[in-house]
Amino acid sequence: MRRSSSTERAPAVTAAVSWPKFPYSASVRISLGCSVLVVSLLFAWGAWQRRWIADDGLIVLRTVRNLLAGNGPVFNAGERVEANTSTAWTYLMYLGGWVGGPVRLEYVALALALALSVAGVALAMLGAARLYAPSLVGRRALLLPAGAVVYIAVPPARDFATSGLENGLALTYIGVLWWMMVCWSQRLRTAGPGQGAPDGPVFLAAVSAVAGFSVLVRPELALLGGLALILLLLASPGWRRKLLVVVAGGLLPVGYQIFRMGYYGMLVPSPAVAKDASGAKWAQGALYLSNFANPYLLWIPAVLLLGLGAVLLVVRSRPWWVRHRAPAGSSRLTRTLQAPLVVVGLFVFAGLVQAVYWIRQGGDFMHGRVLLIPLFCMLVPLAVIPVVVPDGTKISREAGYLLAGATTVLWMSLLGWSLWAANSPGLGRDGTWVTHSGIVDERRFYSQATGHAHPLTAADYLNYPRMRAVLVAIANTPDGALLLPSGNYDQWDVVPAIPPPDAERTPDYIGPHTVFFTNMGMLGMNVGLDIRIIDQIGLINPIAMHTQRIEDGRIGHDKDLFPDWAVAEGPFLKEPPYLPTYLDENWVIEAQAALKCPATEAMLSAIRGPMGPRRFLSNVMHAADFTRYRIDRVPEVELARCGLPTPPLKGDKYTGLPATGP
């Protein structure tokens, strides 16, 4: 028997590993290229016109500064709190800051966020084009932008494209996963040599790893990535491939979760605890949905896109995945699950469930922010749509022209809505006021408050109330102090630090400073890393984080720790005349006693104690308990909860009731 030569084997090898190639017509290639280019340029231009860096984006940069300084992934040195929701964005910014060197971190964040936002939309369009590709082989057709135009037309989408937050990274992640899952779904039924999507172990491991990476981009994206992993697992034949999916998909997220539990002593990032992400505020969530949808009449594109989807189903009366049957050796389960329609359903379903989750949770205080990613997930299958010139092979030419005309009319209506929505006033004047809803147009709010049309750097935020004053207060208290925001925006209330013994004081001595304030991002980026910053809502304050959620508090800010706790836990003078008059000395005494609760001490030791193997393992074992742990923000009630005696108090106890007497 003659042995095959290497030249005879080459075509077979090439066909097995080649990337998908479809013989598009010139009209398909040109229209797709033009669609991607035009939409990308419009999105980039629109986002640049609304460029800014949010206060929450500056929170990320404070953590990056600590990483670059060698203090670890923390907000305050010596206190292991994971202040950022997106782990991947934090470390991507760290890499960008390390590579950028002297370039300001704000500009690195701006460039990365904008580039990733545009790339995410482009990838979604390429994935959708790939979805329709087999049906367009050899046919004259145009690929026109639809869902992509809807997304970039919504003003908050352009606002958060450069906000310094992880929105751009999330778009790119969804775009990559969408394209890879479409390629995977087409493998069984793609006809012709060299046209099959790569289905070897390398590609399967890659798409599994991308799916597993979801939770590191945004915790709620674990739904999308998890469903993709389940789909890959069920459809993969043989235990070896199933094991590959599990290992590749779980290695990075499980590894980081172990690190999070050991290093931070938590199961989730601190914002998830601070905002009680498992809580339910349906009424507030419905208000958030209407706040997002009503200004832009989002029901109009929803109806138009549903109409376009229905027309596409009629045009593709016998889809290619029906005409090209799966190989006989594949199982029925594989043939059922490894199909494009299943992948389309997965992304639409994941986006819908994410939207319902955010509505249940109450939404956010930033207009539209948390519903953008669910919206994008649901739009990717129709990011571009085909308009096919009828050839009379599948349906009559008359019917084909009628359907092509209907598609064109719907598409042009969609463009008309997009042009209107892109230039709509949005929330109008109400967008810069914190009303009963608690929702604001965050970009416009800070533009107005700082006097900068495009607040990008921490220095731009110095015009925000109290910001310049805090620098003056720190400079005027070299012996250290706790700074509390006063009613006067040009000054801070000062609680002096306990003076050190004269033997420890040196000419260059600088005392400890703690600033108690809500806007941690702008504050953290305008002061040194030696200044401790804590907040009352619990994003970075481990005590406030573990208090109970206030039922009627502002969404996203519905925890409110009294400043008495900041005095109690720090090295500050705790009696009059050093206390501001709005603080009660007895509350400080009770808070100081409440901090000795064994469970509270264990929780704080987990994040403040020296890190070593024993501490790491202990944190892993108790991370679930620390995550669930809650304290009461009223010191007296917290003492009772913990079973601690009330310490000796001074003078009359404050009750909040008017004094009585003759």
Side-chain angles (χ1 to χ4, degrees):
M1 183 175 180
R2 186 171 64 88
R3 182 174 298 177
S4 300
S5 66
S6 58
T7 56
E8 291 173 326
R9 292 195 306 267
V13 174
T14 303
V17 300
S18 64
W19 289 95
K21 296 178 182 178
F22 291 97
Y24 294 127
S25 64
S27 61
V28 172
R29 291 197 304 270
I30 294 172
S31 62
L32 175 60
C34 290
S35 295
V36 172
L37 180 62
V38 170
V39 170
S40 297
L41 289 176
L42 285 175
F43 191 30
W45 178 77
W48 182 256
Q49 294 297 314
R50 306 167 82 97
R51 63 193 179 277
W52 71 304
I53 299 292
D55 180 65
D56 283 36
L58 296 176
I59 292 177
V60 178
L61 300 188
R62 167 84 173 195
T63 301
V64 173
R65 284 178 64 197
N66 272 301
L67 273 167
L68 293 170
N71 297 328
V74 298
F75 191 87
N76 291 310
E79 195 167 63
R80 297 181 294 274
V81 173
E82 189 178 13
N84 309 320
T85 303
S86 176
T87 302
W89 179 241
T90 300
Y91 285 97
L92 182 61
M93 278 302 308
Y94 167 66
L95 179 62
W98 180 76
V99 173
V103 179
R104 290 188 67 107
L105 285 174
E106 294 94 323
Y107 296 139
V108 175
L110 176 68
L112 284 175
L114 179 58
L116 288 170
S117 295
V118 175
V121 173
L123 285 166
M125 297 174 71
L126 293 174
R130 172 70 193 175
L131 177 69
Y132 304 116
S135 297
L136 302 179
V137 171
R139 305 185 69 185
R140 289 185 300 161
L142 297 177
L143 282 172
L144 303 177
V149 172
V150 171
Y151 183 79
I152 70 170
V154 179
R158 304 195 300 280
D159 286 345
F160 289 100
T162 63
S163 63
L165 297 167
E166 68 280 355
N167 288 65
L169 177 61
L171 296 187
T172 294
Y173 170 79
I174 294 170
V176 170
L177 182 62
W178 163 243
W179 183 84
M180 296 182 80
M181 290 298 293
V182 169
C183 287
W184 169 82
S185 69
Q186 293 174 336
R187 168 62 185 93
L188 287 179
R189 299 168 177 84
T190 305
Q195 294 182 7
D199 67 329
V202 174
F203 180 78
L204 185 61
V207 69
S208 299
V210 170
F213 193 69
S214 59
V215 70
L216 301 181
V217 177
R218 285 282 309 180
E220 65 271 15
L221 282 176
L223 173 68
L224 175 62
L227 289 175
L229 280 175
I230 293 172
L231 184 60
L232 292 169
L233 182 66
L234 294 176
S236 295
W239 69 268
R240 287 185 177 86
R241 292 212 166 200
K242 293 183 186 297
L243 181 62
L244 178 63
V245 171
V246 172
V247 172
L251 187 62
L252 190 58
V254 171
Y256 184 80
Q257 182 63 19
I258 294 172
F259 168 77
R260 170 184 283 150
M261 294 165 66
Y263 188 77
Y264 297 109
M266 299 285 285
L267 294 177
V268 294
S270 62
V273 179
K275 299 179 181 182
D276 273 348
S278 61
K281 284 193 171 183
W282 285 104
Q284 177 65 27
L287 183 62
Y288 187 80
L289 176 62
S290 65
N291 179 273
F292 176 53
N294 289 348
Y296 316 112
L297 302 180
L298 288 181
W299 62 268
I300 294 178
V303 171
L304 294 174
L305 287 172
L306 286 174
L308 284 169
V311 172
L312 289 176
L313 287 176
V314 172
V315 172
R316 301 167 72 211
S317 56
R318 292 196 66 215
W320 67 273
W321 61 81
V322 174
R323 292 183 283 112
H324 295 91
R325 296 186 178 278
S330 58
S331 68
R332 182 176 181 180
L333 184 62
T334 299
R335 294 194 299 272
T336 302
L337 296 181
Q338 195 168 347
L341 194 59
V342 175
V343 172
V344 169
L346 184 150
F347 275 79
V348 173
F349 175 76
L352 182 62
V353 173
Q354 286 180 70
V356 172
Y357 161 76
W358 280 114
I359 293 170
R360 177 185 183 274
Q361 202 267 341
D364 192 43
F365 62 93
M366 299 187 196
H367 169 61
R369 178 197 171 193
V370 297
L371 291 180
L372 289 173
I373 301 306
L375 175 66
F376 190 71
C377 277
M378 290 186 282
L379 288 176
V380 291
L382 293 174
V384 295
I385 59 166
V387 178
V388 182
V389 177
D391 54 12
T393 56
K394 299 171 68 174
I395 54 179
S396 67
R397 286 184 179 272
E398 292 77 8
Y401 279 115
L402 182 62
L403 290 171
T407 302
T408 304
V409 170
L410 290 170
W411 180 73
M412 293 184 69
S413 300
L414 198 66
L415 287 188
W417 170 87
S418 299
L419 184 62
W420 169 81
N423 296 280
S424 67
L427 297 182
R429 294 182 179 181
D430 290 342
T432 57
W433 294 89
V434 182
T435 61
H436 71 283
S437 72
I439 307 167
V440 296
D441 184 330
E442 192 85 346
R443 181 189 63 84
R444 290 180 55 224
F445 175 86
Y446 281 119
S447 294
Q448 177 177 289
T450 62
H452 290 277
H454 306 289
L456 292 173
T457 67
D460 292 338
Y461 279 91
L462 287 174
N463 291 336
Y464 191 78
R466 298 191 176 95
M467 280 302 101
R468 294 189 187 277
V470 77
L471 302 182
V472 174
I474 291 173
N476 290 340
T477 53
D479 290 341
L482 168 66
L483 303 180
L484 303 172
S486 72
N488 185 339
Y489 286 169
D490 293 326
Q491 70 181 44
W492 286 72
D493 291 333
V494 175
V495 180
I498 298 173
D502 291 339
E504 295 183 9
R505 188 185 295 271
T506 60
D508 59 348
Y509 172 79
I510 299 178
H513 283 92
T514 296
V515 185
F516 187 80
F517 195 50
T518 305
N519 299 93
M520 300 81 70
M522 64 181 75
L523 183 58
M525 287 296 289
N526 276 305
V527 301
L529 296 179
D530 57 330
I531 307 296
R532 182 172 182 253
I533 300 168
I534 56 176
D535 65 320
Q536 69 268 42
I537 60 178
L539 294 179
I540 57 173
N541 186 344
I543 297 177
M545 180 196 317
H546 290 280
T547 58
Q548 297 287 350
R549 193 180 190 182
I550 299 174
E551 188 64 28
D552 297 323
R554 183 190 179 194
I555 190 67
H557 296 74
D558 41 11
K559 292 188 177 182
D560 190 6
L561 187 72
F562 297 112
D564 308 72
W565 291 87
V567 180
E569 72 160 338
F572 308 112
L573 297 171
K574 300 175 175 30
E575 64 277 339
Y578 306 108
L579 293 177
T581 55
Y582 53 80
L583 296 185
D584 184 81
E585 183 181 8
N586 286 328
W587 273 49
V588 174
I589 293 172
E590 290 174 330
Q592 195 171 17
L595 287 171
K596 298 186 182 301
C597 178
T600 303
E601 287 185 325
M603 181 269 295
L604 293 175
S605 296
I607 61 173
R608 294 175 179 172
M611 177 52 66
R614 185 172 181 178
R615 171 78 62 190
F616 188 92
L617 292 174
S618 175
N619 284 357
V620 170
M621 297 296 295
H622 297 94
D625 294 333
F626 293 149
T627 303
R628 291 191 298 265
Y629 184 62
R630 295 292 182 271
I631 66 177
D632 197 286
R633 66 194 189 110
V634 178
E636 181 181 17
V637 178
E638 173 61 11
L639 286 171
R641 183 197 69 83
C642 203
L644 295 175
T646 300
L649 304 179
K650 298 182 180 180
D652 295 332
K653 181 175 176 59
Y654 173 74
T655 63
L657 301 175
T660 58

